[in-house]
Amino acid sequence: MALVTSTEMFKKAYEGGYAIGAFNVNNMEIVQGITEACKEEKAPVILQVSKGARAYANHTYLVKLVEAAVIECPEIPVVLHLDHGPDFETCKSCIDGGFTSVMIDGSSKSFEDNIALTKQVVEYAHAHGVVVEGELGTLAGIEDEVKVSAEDSSYTRPEEVEEFVSRTGVDSLAIAIGTSHGAYKFKPGTKPQLRFDILEEVSRRLPGFPIVLHGSSSVPQNYVEMINANGGKMPGAIGVPEEQLRKAASLSVCKINIDSDLRLAMTGTIRQFFNEHPDKFDPREYLKPARANIKELVRHKLVDVLGCAGKA
Ligand code: G3H
Ligand code: 13P
Ligand code: ZN
């Protein structure tokens, strides 16, 4: 199957009460780990590329890696998505350069400026057969170089969503209900809790419309412990409880973004490898177990959290 847009995927996910995993890709091993798990579990998948990923690996390399995965996994639908598009030009470059989906992140702008920018991207994207994700509400954490403090973050205001969607024409909407980017999402000792009341009110106002959750890594404690036991220092790293993501997936959330968990699996595995094998220096030897652990982590998400295994 060639690259597809997320339209059909989201429709089925909404009706089926599950979500599609949107995993960030930055290099070959990450693309392979994710797509091998999706192929084996027969799961549709969104591979997403941030501005930082394009700066690191180069647009063409990333597109070609994803195209290679599509050839290797012909039985599953794959979306190539721009994560957190910062401006019209970046979105246009991805639309012109083979992406099937883009996010325009105008969440830090005023409501009117967010609408104007999102509408401009939607018009160009739709004219080229590409779908668009917009965002209302601000998540805490770090995206590319931008750090948003917990005080400056804000939940999505449900009373704004209908106007935003109808005036922009976006195909999906990312909302802020208490998730945040990175590995430190909740203060140690506090109870992590997403605002399902906001999600439910948004869904009531936008029936049948696909909702997106960013900042949805669960920060697996086995990898945090592996990192800390092998020279790392990540005290108090806490993520979103997986039961809450499962519940969101059963409601109107059709896309769940996961990046930090992949980073933790890769970093923990490599740290442990070097600690156990200080004499080794062949990158293939430490990237191979890192890729294998990414694959098992993604398999777990598909089967136990997102509910999209077997839905390809
Ligand atoms: O939301 C941000 C994603 O985790 C991508 O992170 O900007 O460091 O590539 P990045
Ligand atoms: P995490 O940092 O929770 O993995 O979030 C990733 C994300 O939202 C990418 O857009
Ligand atoms: Zn994000």
Side-chain angles (χ1 to χ4, degrees), residues 190-202:
T190 62
K191 190 172 171 288
Q193 182 59 55
L194 300 185
R195 289 286 304 272
F196 282 99
D197 57 322
I198 298 178
L199 174 61
E200 277 160 19
E201 182 57 17
V202 167

Side-chain angles (χ1 to χ4, degrees), residues 36 47 54 82 91 99 106 109 129 133 153 176 193 197 232 248 257 261 264 290 306:
E36 283 173 18
L47 298 177
R54 287 175 95 224
L82 169 66
C91 293
F99 283 47
K109 300 186 184 304
E133 173 186 327
S153 66
Q193 182 59 55
D197 57 322
N257 286 11
D261 286 355
L264 290 164
L306 303 160

Side-chain angles (χ1 to χ4, degrees), residues 6-252:
S6 48
T7 308
E8 198 60 24
M9 270 184 202
F10 287 169
K11 191 168 179 292
K12 288 188 187 160
Y14 198 102
E15 286 163 5
Y18 61 90
I20 311 294
F23 301 100
N24 287 70
V25 296
N26 292 278
N27 65 21
M28 183 187 77
E29 286 76 13
I30 298 174
V31 172
Q32 290 176 328
I34 297 164
T35 54
E36 283 173 18
C38 293
K39 180 180 171 148
E40 287 178 18
E41 295 301 331
K42 299 184 175 42
V45 68
I46 298 172
L47 298 177
Q48 54 186 17
V49 168
S50 69
K51 178 184 164 203
R54 287 175 95 224
Y56 168 74
N58 168 307
H59 175 96
T60 309
Y61 278 94
L62 290 168
V63 170
K64 294 298 167 192
L65 283 172
V66 171
E67 286 175 1
V70 170
I71 291 170
E72 289 296 319
C73 309
E75 41 304 76
I76 59 167
V78 179
V79 172
L80 174 53
H81 173 77
L82 169 66
D83 189 28
H84 294 286
D87 48 40
F88 177 78
E89 290 68 32
T90 308
C91 293
K92 181 178 183 300
S93 161
C94 289
I95 293 164
D96 295 344
F99 283 47
T100 55
S101 174
V102 295
M103 174 191 192
I104 176 68
D105 184 352
S107 61
S108 61
K109 300 186 184 304
S110 71
F111 186 62
E112 283 302 324
D113 288 353
N114 190 357
I115 288 180
L117 177 60
T118 305
K119 190 168 185 294
Q120 186 191 10
V121 172
V122 168
E123 279 166 8
Y124 189 80
H126 285 183
H128 293 79
V130 170
V131 292
V132 181
E133 173 186 327
E135 179 168 343
L136 268 180
T138 326
L139 274 70
I142 303 170
E143 295 156 18
D144 285 312
E145 302 93 50
V146 185
K147 186 173 191 305
V148 180
S149 69
E151 302 78 61
D152 290 336
S153 66
S154 59
Y155 294 117
T156 301
R157 291 155 50 88
E159 58 275 24
E160 291 182 345
V161 298
E162 294 134 299
E163 186 181 346
F164 185 82
V165 167
S166 66
R167 284 178 62 194
T168 58
V170 277
D171 303 279
S172 61
L173 181 68
I175 62 168
I177 58 166
T179 61
S180 60
H181 291 107
Y184 303 89
K185 300 188 191 296
F186 300 96
K187 287 207 170 67
T190 62
K191 190 172 171 288
Q193 182 59 55
L194 300 185
R195 289 286 304 272
F196 282 99
D197 57 322
I198 298 178
L199 174 61
E200 277 160 19
E201 182 57 17
V202 167
S203 319
R204 196 184 66 73
R205 289 168 179 266
L206 295 174
F209 193 81
I211 300 302
V212 177
L213 285 190
H214 282 249
S216 296
S217 277
S218 295
V219 188
Q221 292 303 300
N222 60 319
Y223 284 121
V224 174
E225 281 157 24
M226 192 186 279
I227 287 170
N228 289 337
N230 290 283
K233 214 175 195 180
M234 296 190 67
I238 296 174
V240 182
E242 289 186 335
E243 320 78 70
Q244 294 188 32
L245 294 171
R246 182 72 207 99
K247 180 176 171 187
S250 76
L251 302 170
S252 56

